[in-house]
Coordinates of all heavy atoms in Angstrom, one line a residue:
M1 N 12.4 26.6 72.6 CA 13.5 25.8 72.7 C 13.2 24.4 72.3 O 12.2 23.9 72.6 CB 14.2 25.8 74.1 CG 15.4 24.9 74.2 SD 16.1 25.0 75.9 CE 16.9 26.5 75.9
A2 N 14.0 23.9 71.4 CA 13.8 22.5 70.9 C 14.0 21.5 72.0 O 14.9 21.6 72.8 CB 14.7 22.2 69.7
Q3 N 13.1 20.5 71.9 CA 13.3 19.4 73.0 C 13.9 18.2 72.2 O 13.5 17.9 71.1 CB 11.9 19.0 73.4 CG 11.2 20.1 74.3 CD 12.0 20.4 75.6 OE1 12.4 19.6 76.2 NE2 12.0 21.8 75.8
P4 N 14.8 17.5 72.9 CA 15.4 16.3 72.3 C 14.3 15.3 72.0 O 13.4 15.0 72.7 CB 16.4 15.8 73.3 CG 16.6 16.9 74.2 CD 15.4 17.8 74.2
G5 N 14.4 14.8 70.7 CA 13.4 13.8 70.3 C 12.0 14.3 69.8 O 11.2 13.6 69.4
A6 N 11.9 15.6 70.0 CA 10.6 16.2 69.6 C 10.6 16.4 68.0 O 11.7 16.5 67.3 CB 10.5 17.7 70.1
I7 N 9.4 16.2 67.4 CA 9.2 16.3 66.0 C 9.0 17.8 65.7 O 8.2 18.5 66.3 CB 8.0 15.5 65.5 CG1 8.3 14.1 65.8 CG2 7.8 15.7 64.0 CD1 7.1 13.1 65.6
A8 N 9.7 18.3 64.7 CA 9.6 19.7 64.2 C 8.2 19.9 63.7 O 7.6 19.0 63.1 CB 10.6 20.0 63.2
P9 N 7.5 21.1 64.0 CA 6.2 21.3 63.5 C 6.0 21.2 62.0 O 5.0 20.8 61.5 CB 6.0 22.8 63.9 CG 7.0 23.1 64.9 CD 8.2 22.2 64.7
D10 N 7.1 21.5 61.2 CA 7.0 21.5 59.8 C 7.6 20.1 59.2 O 7.8 20.0 58.0 CB 7.8 22.7 59.2 CG 9.2 22.6 59.3 OD1 9.7 21.9 60.2 OD2 10.0 23.2 58.6
A11 N 7.7 19.2 60.1 CA 8.3 17.8 59.6 C 7.5 17.2 58.5 O 8.1 16.7 57.5 CB 8.4 16.9 60.8
P12 N 6.1 17.1 58.5 CA 5.4 16.5 57.4 C 5.6 17.3 56.1 O 5.8 16.7 55.0 CB 3.9 16.6 57.8 CG 4.0 16.7 59.3 CD 5.2 17.5 59.7
A13 N 5.6 18.6 56.1 CA 5.8 19.4 54.9 C 7.2 19.2 54.4 O 7.4 19.0 53.2 CB 5.5 20.9 55.2
S14 N 8.1 19.2 55.2 CA 9.6 19.1 54.9 C 9.8 17.7 54.3 O 10.5 17.6 53.2 CB 10.4 19.3 56.1 OG 11.8 19.1 55.7
A15 N 9.3 16.7 54.9 CA 9.5 15.3 54.4 C 8.8 15.1 53.0 O 9.3 14.5 52.2 CB 9.0 14.3 55.3
A16 N 7.6 15.7 52.9 CA 6.8 15.6 51.7 C 7.6 16.3 50.5 O 7.7 15.8 49.4 CB 5.4 16.2 51.8
K17 N 8.1 17.5 50.8 CA 8.8 18.2 49.8 C 10.1 17.5 49.4 O 10.5 17.4 48.2 CB 9.2 19.6 50.2 CG 9.8 20.5 49.1 CD 9.9 21.9 49.5 CE 8.6 22.7 49.3 NZ 8.7 24.1 49.4
E18 N 10.8 16.9 50.4 CA 12.0 16.2 50.1 C 11.7 15.0 49.3 O 12.5 14.6 48.3 CB 12.6 15.7 51.4 CG 14.0 15.1 51.3 CD 14.6 14.8 52.6 OE1 14.4 15.6 53.6 OE2 15.3 13.8 52.7
F19 N 10.5 14.2 49.5 CA 10.2 13.1 48.8 C 9.9 13.5 47.3 O 10.3 12.8 46.4 CB 9.0 12.4 49.3 CG 8.5 11.2 48.6 CD1 9.1 10.0 48.6 CD2 7.5 11.4 47.6 CE1 8.7 9.0 47.9 CE2 7.0 10.4 46.9 CZ 7.6 9.1 47.0
E20 N 9.2 14.6 47.1 CA 8.8 15.1 45.8 C 10.1 15.5 45.1 O 10.2 15.1 43.8 CB 7.9 16.3 45.8 CG 7.5 16.7 44.5 CD 6.3 17.7 44.4 OE1 6.1 18.5 45.5 OE2 5.6 17.7 43.5
A21 N 11.1 16.0 45.6 CA 12.3 16.4 45.1 C 13.0 15.1 44.6 O 13.6 15.1 43.5 CB 13.2 17.3 45.9
M22 N 13.0 14.1 45.4 CA 13.7 12.8 45.1 C 13.0 12.2 43.9 O 13.6 11.7 43.0 CB 13.7 11.9 46.3 CG 14.4 10.6 46.0 SD 13.8 9.3 47.1 CE 12.1 9.3 46.8
F23 N 11.7 12.2 43.9 CA 10.9 11.6 42.8 C 11.1 12.3 41.5 O 11.4 11.7 40.5 CB 9.4 11.6 43.2 CG 8.6 11.0 42.1 CD1 8.3 9.7 42.0 CD2 7.8 11.9 41.3 CE1 7.5 9.2 41.0 CE2 7.0 11.3 40.3 CZ 6.8 10.0 40.2
L24 N 11.0 13.7 41.6 CA 11.3 14.4 40.3 C 12.7 14.2 39.8 O 12.9 14.2 38.6 CB 10.9 15.8 40.6 CG 9.5 16.2 40.9 CD1 9.3 17.6 41.3 CD2 8.6 15.9 39.6
T25 N 13.7 14.1 40.8 CA 15.0 13.8 40.4 C 15.1 12.6 39.6 O 15.8 12.5 38.5 CB 16.0 13.8 41.6 OG1 16.0 15.0 42.3 CG2 17.4 13.3 41.1
E26 N 14.5 11.5 40.0 CA 14.6 10.3 39.3 C 13.9 10.4 38.0 O 14.3 9.7 37.0 CB 13.9 9.1 40.1 CG 14.7 8.8 41.4 CD 16.1 8.4 41.1 OE1 16.3 7.6 40.1 OE2 17.1 8.8 41.8
M27 N 12.7 11.1 37.9 CA 12.1 11.3 36.6 C 12.9 12.0 35.6 O 13.0 11.6 34.5 CB 10.7 12.0 36.9 CG 9.7 11.2 37.7 SD 9.2 9.6 37.0 CE 8.4 10.2 35.5
V28 N 13.5 13.1 36.1 CA 14.4 13.9 35.2 C 15.6 13.1 34.8 O 16.0 13.2 33.5 CB 14.7 15.2 35.9 CG1 15.8 15.9 35.0 CG2 13.5 16.1 36.1
N29 N 16.1 12.4 35.7 CA 17.3 11.5 35.3 C 17.0 10.6 34.3 O 17.7 10.3 33.4 CB 17.8 10.9 36.6 CG 19.2 10.2 36.4 OD1 20.0 10.8 35.8 ND2 19.3 9.1 36.9
E30 N 15.8 9.8 34.4 CA 15.4 8.9 33.5 C 15.2 9.6 32.1 O 15.5 9.1 31.0 CB 14.1 8.2 33.9 CG 13.7 7.2 33.0 CD 14.7 6.0 32.9 OE1 15.4 5.7 33.9 OE2 14.7 5.4 31.8
M31 N 14.6 10.8 32.1 CA 14.4 11.5 30.8 C 15.7 11.9 30.2 O 15.9 11.7 29.0 CB 13.5 12.8 31.1 CG 12.1 12.4 31.3 SD 11.1 13.9 31.3 CE 11.3 14.5 33.0
L32 N 16.7 12.4 31.0 CA 18.0 12.7 30.5 C 18.7 11.6 29.9 O 19.5 11.7 29.0 CB 18.8 13.4 31.6 CG 18.4 14.9 31.9 CD1 19.2 15.4 33.0 CD2 18.5 15.8 30.7
S33 N 18.5 10.4 30.5 CA 19.2 9.2 30.0 C 18.8 8.8 28.6 O 19.4 8.1 27.9 CB 19.0 8.0 31.0 OG 17.8 7.5 30.8
E34 N 17.6 9.2 28.3 CA 17.1 8.9 26.9 C 17.4 9.9 25.9 O 17.2 9.7 24.7 CB 15.5 8.8 26.9 CG 15.0 7.7 27.8 CD 15.5 6.3 27.3 OE1 15.4 6.1 26.2 OE2 15.8 5.5 28.2
V35 N 18.0 11.0 26.3 CA 18.4 12.1 25.4 C 19.8 11.9 25.0 O 20.6 11.7 25.8 CB 18.1 13.5 26.1 CG1 18.6 14.7 25.2 CG2 16.7 13.8 26.4
D36 N 20.0 12.1 23.7 CA 21.4 11.9 23.2 C 22.0 13.3 23.2 O 21.7 14.2 22.4 CB 21.4 11.4 21.7 CG 22.8 11.2 21.2 OD1 23.7 11.2 22.0 OD2 23.0 11.1 20.0
L37 N 22.9 13.4 24.2 CA 23.6 14.8 24.4 C 24.9 14.8 23.7 O 25.7 15.8 23.7 CB 23.9 15.0 25.9 CG 22.7 15.1 26.8 CD1 23.1 15.3 28.3 CD2 21.9 16.3 26.3
G38 N 25.2 13.8 22.9 CA 26.5 13.6 22.2 C 27.5 12.9 23.1 O 27.2 12.6 24.2
D39 N 28.6 12.7 22.5 CA 29.6 12.0 23.3 C 30.7 13.1 23.7 O 31.5 13.5 22.9 CB 30.3 10.9 22.4 CG 31.2 10.1 23.2 OD1 31.2 10.1 24.4 OD2 32.1 9.5 22.6
F40 N 30.6 13.3 25.0 CA 31.7 14.1 25.6 C 32.9 13.4 26.0 O 33.9 13.9 26.5 CB 31.1 14.9 26.8 CG 29.9 15.8 26.5 CD1 28.7 15.6 26.9 CD2 30.2 17.0 25.8 CE1 27.6 16.4 26.5 CE2 29.2 17.8 25.4 CZ 27.9 17.6 25.9
G41 N 32.8 12.1 25.9 CA 34.0 11.3 26.3 C 34.2 11.2 27.8 O 35.3 10.9 28.2
G42 N 33.2 11.4 28.6 CA 33.4 11.5 30.0 C 33.2 10.1 30.7 O 33.5 10.1 31.9
G43 N 32.6 9.2 30.0 CA 32.4 7.9 30.7 C 31.6 8.0 32.0 O 30.5 8.6 31.9
K44 N 32.0 7.4 33.0 CA 31.3 7.4 34.3 C 31.1 8.8 34.9 O 30.1 9.1 35.4 CB 32.0 6.5 35.3 CG 31.9 5.1 35.1 CD 30.4 4.6 35.3 CE 30.3 3.2 35.2 NZ 28.9 2.6 35.2
A45 N 32.1 9.6 34.7 CA 32.1 11.0 35.2 C 30.9 11.8 34.5 O 30.2 12.6 35.2 CB 33.3 11.8 34.9
E46 N 30.6 11.5 33.3 CA 29.6 12.1 32.4 C 28.2 11.6 33.1 O 27.3 12.4 33.2 CB 29.6 11.7 31.0 CG 28.7 12.5 30.2 CD 29.0 12.2 28.7 OE1 30.1 12.1 28.2 OE2 27.9 12.1 28.0
E47 N 28.1 10.4 33.4 CA 26.9 9.8 34.0 C 26.7 10.5 35.3 O 25.5 10.8 35.7 CB 27.0 8.3 34.2 CG 27.0 7.5 32.9 CD 27.2 6.0 33.2 OE1 26.9 5.6 34.2 OE2 27.7 5.4 32.3
H48 N 27.7 10.6 36.2 CA 27.6 11.3 37.4 C 27.0 12.8 37.3 O 26.2 13.3 38.0 CB 28.8 11.3 38.3 CG 29.1 9.9 38.8 ND1 28.3 9.2 39.7 CD2 30.2 9.1 38.5 CE1 28.9 8.1 39.9 NE2 30.0 8.0 39.2
W49 N 27.7 13.5 36.3 CA 27.3 14.8 36.0 C 25.8 14.9 35.7 O 25.1 15.8 36.1 CB 28.2 15.4 34.9 CG 27.7 16.8 34.5 CD1 28.0 18.0 35.1 CD2 26.8 17.1 33.5 NE1 27.4 19.0 34.4 CE2 26.6 18.5 33.4 CE3 26.1 16.3 32.5 CZ2 25.8 19.1 32.5 CZ3 25.2 17.0 31.6 CH2 25.1 18.3 31.6
R50 N 25.4 14.0 34.8 CA 24.0 14.0 34.4 C 23.0 13.8 35.6 O 22.0 14.4 35.6 CB 23.8 12.8 33.4 CG 22.5 12.9 32.7 CD 22.4 11.8 31.7 NE 23.3 12.1 30.6 CZ 23.2 11.6 29.4 NH1 22.1 10.9 29.0 NH2 24.1 11.8 28.5
Y51 N 23.5 13.0 36.5 CA 22.6 12.8 37.7 C 22.6 14.1 38.6 O 21.6 14.4 39.1 CB 23.1 11.6 38.6 CG 22.2 11.3 39.8 CD1 21.0 10.7 39.6 CD2 22.5 11.9 41.0 CE1 20.1 10.6 40.7 CE2 21.6 11.8 42.1 CZ 20.5 11.2 41.9 OH 19.6 11.0 43.0
F52 N 23.7 14.6 38.7 CA 23.8 16.0 39.4 C 22.9 17.0 38.8 O 22.2 17.8 39.5 CB 25.2 16.4 39.6 CG 26.0 15.6 40.5 CD1 27.4 15.3 40.2 CD2 25.6 15.0 41.6 CE1 28.2 14.6 41.0 CE2 26.3 14.3 42.5 CZ 27.7 14.1 42.2
L53 N 22.9 17.1 37.5 CA 22.0 18.0 36.7 C 20.5 17.6 37.1 O 19.7 18.5 37.3 CB 22.3 17.9 35.2 CG 21.5 18.8 34.4 CD1 21.7 20.3 34.7 CD2 21.7 18.5 32.9
A54 N 20.2 16.3 37.0 CA 18.8 15.9 37.2 C 18.5 16.3 38.7 O 17.3 16.7 39.0 CB 18.7 14.4 37.0
E55 N 19.4 16.1 39.6 CA 19.1 16.4 41.1 C 18.9 17.9 41.2 O 17.9 18.3 41.9 CB 20.3 16.0 41.9 CG 20.0 16.1 43.4 CD 21.1 15.6 44.2 OE1 22.4 15.7 43.8 OE2 20.8 15.0 45.2
A56 N 19.5 18.7 40.5 CA 19.3 20.2 40.6 C 18.0 20.5 40.0 O 17.3 21.3 40.7 CB 20.5 20.9 39.9
F57 N 17.6 19.9 38.9 CA 16.4 20.2 38.3 C 15.2 19.7 39.2 O 14.2 20.4 39.4 CB 16.2 19.4 36.9 CG 16.8 20.2 35.8 CD1 17.7 19.6 34.9 CD2 16.4 21.5 35.5 CE1 18.2 20.2 33.8 CE2 17.0 22.2 34.4 CZ 17.8 21.5 33.6
G58 N 15.4 18.5 39.8 CA 14.4 18.0 40.7 C 14.1 18.8 41.9 O 12.9 19.1 42.3
K59 N 15.2 19.3 42.5 CA 15.0 20.1 43.7 C 14.4 21.4 43.3 O 13.5 22.0 44.1 CB 16.4 20.4 44.3 CG 17.0 19.2 45.0 CD 18.3 19.5 45.7 CE 18.8 18.3 46.4 NZ 20.2 18.5 47.0
E60 N 14.8 22.0 42.3 CA 14.3 23.3 41.8 C 12.7 23.2 41.4 O 12.0 24.0 41.8 CB 15.1 23.9 40.7 CG 14.6 25.3 40.2 CD 14.8 26.3 41.4 OE1 15.7 26.1 42.2 OE2 14.0 27.3 41.4
L61 N 12.5 22.1 40.8 CA 11.0 21.8 40.4 C 10.2 21.7 41.7 O 9.0 22.3 41.7 CB 10.9 20.6 39.5 CG 11.3 20.8 38.1 CD1 11.4 19.4 37.4 CD2 10.3 21.6 37.3
A62 N 10.6 21.0 42.6 CA 10.0 20.8 43.9 C 9.8 22.2 44.7 O 8.8 22.5 45.2 CB 10.6 19.9 44.8
E63 N 10.9 23.0 44.6 CA 10.8 24.3 45.2 C 9.8 25.2 44.6 O 9.2 26.0 45.3 CB 12.2 24.9 45.1 CG 13.0 25.4 46.3 CD 12.4 25.2 47.7 OE1 12.6 24.1 48.3 OE2 11.8 26.2 48.2
Q64 N 9.6 25.1 43.3 CA 8.7 25.9 42.6 C 7.3 25.4 42.6 O 6.5 26.0 41.9 CB 9.2 26.1 41.1 CG 10.6 26.6 41.0 CD 10.7 28.0 40.5 OE1 9.7 28.4 39.8 NE2 11.8 28.6 40.7
G65 N 7.0 24.4 43.4 CA 5.6 24.0 43.5 C 5.5 22.5 43.0 O 4.5 21.9 43.3
G66 N 6.4 22.0 42.3 CA 6.5 20.6 41.9 C 5.2 20.2 41.1 O 4.6 20.9 40.3
A67 N 4.9 18.9 41.3 CA 3.8 18.3 40.5 C 2.6 18.0 41.4 O 1.7 17.3 41.1 CB 4.3 17.0 40.0
G68 N 2.6 18.6 42.7 CA 1.5 18.4 43.6 C 1.7 17.2 44.4 O 0.8 16.9 45.3
I69 N 2.8 16.5 44.3 CA 3.1 15.3 45.1 C 3.1 15.7 46.6 O 2.6 15.1 47.5 CB 4.2 14.5 44.6 CG1 4.0 14.0 43.1 CG2 4.6 13.3 45.5 CD1 5.2 13.5 42.5
A70 N 3.9 16.7 46.9 CA 4.2 17.1 48.3 C 3.0 17.5 48.9 O 2.7 17.2 50.1 CB 5.3 18.2 48.3
R71 N 2.1 18.3 48.3 CA 0.8 18.8 48.8 C -0.1 17.6 49.3 O -0.6 17.6 50.3 CB 0.2 19.7 47.9 CG -1.1 20.3 48.4 CD -1.7 21.3 47.4 NE -1.9 20.7 46.0 CZ -1.1 21.1 44.9 NH1 -0.2 22.0 45.0 NH2 -1.4 20.5 43.8
N72 N -0.2 16.6 48.3 CA -1.0 15.5 48.6 C -0.5 14.6 49.7 O -1.2 14.2 50.5 CB -1.2 14.7 47.3 CG -2.1 15.3 46.3 OD1 -2.9 16.1 46.7 ND2 -1.8 15.0 45.0
L73 N 0.8 14.4 49.7 CA 1.5 13.6 50.9 C 1.3 14.3 52.2 O 1.0 13.7 53.1 CB 3.0 13.5 50.5 CG 3.4 12.3 49.6 CD1 4.9 12.4 49.3 CD2 3.0 11.0 50.1
E74 N 1.5 15.6 52.2 CA 1.3 16.3 53.5 C -0.1 16.3 54.0 O -0.3 16.1 55.2 CB 1.7 17.9 53.2 CG 1.7 18.6 54.5 CD 2.2 20.0 54.3 OE1 2.5 20.5 53.2 OE2 2.0 20.8 55.3
Q75 N -1.0 16.4 53.0 CA -2.4 16.2 53.5 C -2.7 14.8 54.0 O -3.4 14.7 55.0 CB -3.4 16.5 52.3 CG -3.5 18.0 51.9 CD -4.2 18.2 50.6 OE1 -4.7 17.3 49.9 NE2 -4.4 19.5 50.3
A76 N -2.2 13.8 53.3 CA -2.4 12.5 53.8 C -1.8 12.2 55.1 O -2.3 11.6 56.0 CB -1.9 11.5 52.8
M77 N -0.5 12.7 55.3 CA 0.2 12.6 56.6 C -0.6 13.3 57.7 O -0.7 12.8 58.8 CB 1.6 13.0 56.5 CG 2.5 12.1 55.7 SD 4.2 12.5 55.8 CE 4.3 13.9 54.7
S78 N -1.1 14.5 57.4 CA -1.9 15.2 58.5 C -3.1 14.5 58.8 O -3.5 14.4 60.0 CB -2.2 16.7 57.9 OG -1.0 17.4 57.7
A79 N -3.8 14.0 57.8 CA -5.1 13.2 58.1 C -4.7 11.9 58.9 O -5.5 11.6 59.8 CB -5.7 12.8 56.8
Y80 N -3.7 11.3 58.5 CA -3.3 10.1 59.3 C -3.0 10.4 60.8 O -3.4 9.8 61.7 CB -2.1 9.5 58.7 CG -1.6 8.2 59.4 CD1 -2.3 7.0 59.4 CD2 -0.4 8.3 60.2 CE1 -1.8 5.9 60.1 CE2 0.0 7.2 60.9 CZ -0.7 6.0 60.8 OH -0.3 4.9 61.5
G81 N -2.2 11.6 61.0 CA -1.9 12.0 62.3 C -3.1 12.4 63.1 O -3.2 12.0 64.3
A82 N -4.0 13.1 62.5 CA -5.3 13.5 63.1 C -6.0 12.3 63.5 O -6.6 12.2 64.6 CB -6.1 14.4 62.2
A83 N -6.1 11.3 62.7 CA -6.9 10.0 63.0 C -6.3 9.3 64.2 O -6.9 8.7 65.0 CB -7.0 9.2 61.7
R84 N -5.0 9.3 64.2 CA -4.2 8.5 65.3 C -4.4 9.3 66.6 O -4.5 8.6 67.7 CB -2.7 8.5 64.9 CG -2.5 7.5 63.8 CD -1.3 6.7 63.9 NE -0.6 6.6 65.1 CZ -0.2 5.5 65.6 NH1 -0.5 4.4 64.9 NH2 0.5 5.4 66.7
R85 N -4.5 10.6 66.6 CA -4.8 11.4 67.7 C -6.3 11.5 68.2 O -6.6 11.8 69.2 CB -4.3 12.8 67.6 CG -2.8 13.1 67.5 CD -2.5 14.5 67.5 NE -3.0 15.3 66.4 CZ -2.6 15.4 65.2 NH1 -1.5 14.7 64.9 NH2 -3.2 16.1 64.3
G86 N -7.1 11.1 67.2 CA -8.6 11.1 67.5 C -9.2 12.4 67.2 O -10.3 12.6 67.7
D87 N -8.5 13.3 66.5 CA -9.1 14.6 66.1 C -10.3 14.4 65.2 O -10.4 13.4 64.5 CB -8.1 15.5 65.4 CG -6.9 15.8 66.3 OD1 -6.9 15.6 67.4 OD2 -5.9 16.4 65.7
K88 N -11.2 15.4 65.2 CA -12.4 15.3 64.3 C -12.2 16.2 63.2 O -13.0 17.1 62.8 CB -13.7 15.8 65.1 CG -13.8 15.0 66.4 CD -14.8 13.9 66.1 CE -15.2 13.2 67.4 NZ -15.8 12.0 67.3
T89 N -11.0 16.2 62.5 CA -10.7 17.1 61.4 C -11.0 16.5 60.1 O -10.9 15.3 59.8 CB -9.2 17.5 61.4 OG1 -8.8 17.6 62.8 CG2 -9.0 18.7 60.7

């Protein structure tokens, strides 16, 4: 049973994957902004659609293993947590 205020056991992994997805979304969005997709005449709506597309790509890339950012962040967070607890890991 979950305890109020308790940290989920997979919190570091989840946070790391979420960060990687956000980072990849921004990278893909920047790349898409440089690509001439033609003029669909969508104005601001077209810009929003482009960001949603980048977000979908970013999340999928992170789900498929990403760029290794999540793995490195999770290792760093685990090492930091172990050091704070005084573990010899």
Side-chain angles (χ1 to χ4, degrees):
M1 179 179 282
Q3 297 295 321
I7 297 174
D10 68 338
S14 178
K17 187 174 275 191
E18 188 177 324
F19 177 82
E20 181 168 29
M22 179 202 61
F23 178 81
L24 291 171
T25 295
E26 293 302 318
M27 296 300 294
V28 170
N29 189 44
E30 186 62 31
M31 286 188 280
L32 286 176
S33 72
E34 297 297 319
V35 175
D36 183 18
L37 298 176
D39 185 18
F40 294 110
K44 286 290 183 189
E46 188 175 322
E47 290 175 28
H48 290 295
W49 173 85
R50 191 177 293 207
Y51 182 79
F52 292 140
L53 178 63
E55 187 175 38
F57 277 131
K59 286 180 180 178
E60 188 60 31
L61 285 167
E63 234 3 84
Q64 303 251 339
I69 297 168
R71 182 177 53 252
N72 289 334
L73 278 174
E74 186 179 354
Q75 288 172 352
M77 287 188 286
S78 294
Y80 177 76
R84 292 212 19 129
R85 288 188 305 273
D87 295 351
K88 303 263 186 198
T89 325

